[in-house]
Amino acid sequence: MSKFWSSLAKQVEPYIPGEQINDDTIIKLNTNENPYPPSKQVIRAIDEASKNLRLYPSPTVDELRSEIGNINELSKDHIFIGNGSDEVLAFSFMAFFEPGKRIKYPEITYSFYPVYAKLFNISSEQIMLNDDYTIPIERFYDSDGGVIFPNPNAPTGIYLELEAIKQILENNPSHVVIIDEAYIDFAKESAVSLVEAFPNLLIIQTMSKSRSLAGLRIGFAIGSPELINGLERIKNSFNSYTVDRLAIAGAIEAIRDNDYFQQTTTKIIESRTYLKNQLEARHFDILPSQANFLLISHKEVNAESLYQELKKQGILVRYFQKPGLENFLRISIGTPEQIEKLLEKIDHIIKPSP
Ligand SMILES: Cc1ncc(COP(=O)(O)O)c(C=O)c1O
């Protein structure tokens, strides 16, 4: 604590991101990055855009909004761009959730939601998941101040069908329901088809996972023009240029290179099934993930010690020291080579020597 801090700076409980280690020899499976590099088109576009760094970027980001609108069959008025989806989430809390009115989110979910709730003084009801870690739909009805959850949920990876999302929307007609679709490209289908029918639906997606651009920081929201205007009002009261020239240029090409996106996404989904089968053969319990990670546990292996042992052997996975998650590890889907290394190390750690 410092005497120079405002009461807000004293009260906040900052989010703790997964470890970012600058060491190419480490196999990094802890922050759900894409194991494949971005499309070559992206790199060329960033190179070209670097010639104009002297100039401010577009404050309205129209070209990228149109590209994202096109692939979703919506006009650019339905799209908002931000500096990573974390920023879009923060703006959404400010734009749509009211201090004093309780929002609902799952008890086990993305840990940034409680951080934003505290930062913006928004009270919340944390809804317990069902015993099988699925979302109890009815408990999200009739919220006092709005609803937010990821689909697939994080860190469980469990996907919720559109029919259920529709019911949550229908039962919250006066409040915004935010569906954080950070991992949706690895799952069955986006809720974007519901946007025209539900003016209270805000979808948030990111280029960090399926488009291999975690380092570029581009996230976006899809919703009714009414909601998008609300986000614009907040953004333009904070910083007119939240996304830079290089990020805009790279993101446009990442959307345009659909073939590369399809190829890398398919490979990750195939590797997910392979890793799941391999871990099940080693008696791990695995939640049914539709994301680019698996949440795993083992009755006879302590999750924290497995995390520590893997780390010693050069493989970083995510261990959450949080109630309800003590027995789990979250493992991001790597390349086939990384997965073989992981399995080799796991075998070495869990198999007692003869
Ligand atoms: C559920 C969820 N939402 C949002 C994000 C943030 O992504 P970014 O800020 O990189 O777009 C993450 C990142 O891990 C996530 O897991």
Side-chain angles (χ1 to χ4, degrees):
M1 287 285 174
S2 156
K3 66 175 181 181
F4 298 117
W5 292 357
S6 68
S7 49
L8 178 64
K10 284 180 190 147
Q11 275 161 30
V12 290
E13 284 166 23
Y15 175 75
I16 303 165
E19 295 156 272
Q20 297 297 348
I21 290 181
N22 239 348
D23 177 350
D24 284 347
T25 63
I26 297 269
I27 296 181
K28 206 174 161 300
L29 303 176
N30 68 330
T31 46
N32 301 339
E33 287 135 335
N34 199 303
Y36 300 106
S39 147
K40 290 202 175 75
Q41 274 176 232
V42 168
I43 308 303
R44 277 198 293 273
I46 291 176
D47 199 32
E48 192 55 35
S50 68
K51 294 177 187 153
N52 280 326
L53 280 178
R54 187 178 67 76
L55 302 171
Y56 280 108
S58 160
T60 51
V61 207
D62 288 329
E63 202 181 348
L64 177 57
R65 288 167 68 202
S66 296
E67 288 291 337
I68 294 173
N70 284 345
I71 58 168
N72 290 290
E73 294 173 12
L74 291 167
S75 69
K76 71 173 168 47
D77 309 345
H78 293 78
I79 314 294
F80 174 84
I81 310 288
N83 192 319
S85 58
D86 282 339
E87 185 185 78
V88 182
L89 285 164
F91 288 168
S92 303
F93 269 66
M94 277 194 267
F96 309 122
F97 296 158
E98 199 75 65
K101 300 223 170 139
R102 286 215 300 178
I103 59 163
K104 297 187 187 210
Y105 54 79
E107 195 206 8
I108 293 181
T109 196
Y110 185 38
S111 4
F112 232 131
Y113 305 157
V115 174
Y116 290 136
K118 181 119 198 205
L119 177 64
F120 302 124
N121 199 19
I122 291 157
S123 52
S124 55
E125 184 185 356
Q126 304 193 10
I127 311 281
M128 293 271 286
L129 296 180
N130 295 320
D131 288 346
D132 61 358
Y133 295 93
T134 55
I135 284 186
I137 305 156
E138 290 84 8
R139 298 214 47 212
F140 285 87
Y141 293 176
D142 306 319
S143 78
D144 190 26
V147 168
I148 180 164
F149 60 86
N151 193 34
N153 195 9
T156 63
I158 295 178
Y159 174 78
L160 189 65
E161 294 289 340
L162 288 202
E163 197 43 50
I165 291 181
K166 219 166 144 180
Q167 285 172 33
I168 293 172
L169 286 160
E170 278 165 358
N171 284 284
N172 283 284
S174 308
H175 293 111
V176 175
V177 174
I178 302 178
I179 311 290
D180 177 353
E181 292 192 336
Y183 302 101
I184 198 67
D185 294 325
F186 307 104
K188 187 174 162 190
E189 60 181 327
S190 162
V192 75
S193 58
L194 303 177
V195 160
E196 304 248 58
F198 291 95
N200 58 332
L201 167 62
L202 190 78
I203 292 174
I204 299 183
Q205 296 188 0
T206 177
M207 300 224 170
S208 297
K209 317 293 179 181
S210 57
R211 308 264 171 186
S212 306
L213 291 174
L216 205 67
R217 314 304 302 131
I218 290 280
F220 53 95
I222 310 176
S224 58
E226 191 185 343
L227 296 187
I228 299 305
N229 275 333
L231 287 170
E232 291 288 349
R233 286 173 67 83
I234 297 290
K235 185 205 96 167
N236 289 319
S237 308
F238 175 79
N239 175 0
S240 314
Y241 308 105
T242 54
V243 286
D244 65 67
R245 265 182 184 277
L246 307 185
I248 297 171
I252 289 172
E253 289 309 312
I255 297 286
R256 287 186 183 153
D257 196 349
N258 186 51
D259 286 349
Y260 185 77
F261 163 71
Q262 296 293 349
Q263 280 162 26
T264 47
T265 309
T266 305
K267 280 200 277 191
I268 290 167
I269 293 171
E270 284 168 4
S271 298
R272 179 178 73 203
T273 307
Y274 175 78
L275 179 60
K276 179 172 185 283
N277 292 340
Q278 290 294 320
L279 289 171
E280 275 173 352
R282 289 157 173 86
H283 308 292
F284 280 90
D285 293 315
I286 298 159
L287 295 188
S289 170
Q290 290 203 28
N292 67 340
F293 56 82
L294 296 177
L295 193 67
I296 71 165
S297 62
H298 196 298
K299 285 186 189 63
E300 283 138 41
V301 181
N302 177 279
E304 189 173 9
S305 14
L306 181 56
Y307 156 76
Q308 296 290 4
E309 279 305 313
L310 283 169
K311 191 171 171 182
K312 272 189 215 150
Q313 307 213 16
I315 299 189
L316 208 51
V317 299
R318 188 82 187 256
Y319 175 68
F320 300 92
Q321 226 150 11
K322 277 203 303 201
L325 290 173
E326 305 92 337
N327 296 326
F328 288 97
L329 290 183
R330 192 195 65 193
I331 303 185
S332 310
I333 306 300
T335 60
E337 298 73 32
Q338 290 174 327
I339 289 175
E340 289 313 324
K341 271 265 157 55
L342 169 75
L343 292 168
E344 195 186 295
K345 302 288 182 197
I346 287 180
D347 284 342
H348 183 73
I349 297 164
I350 70 174
K351 280 215 178 111
S353 41

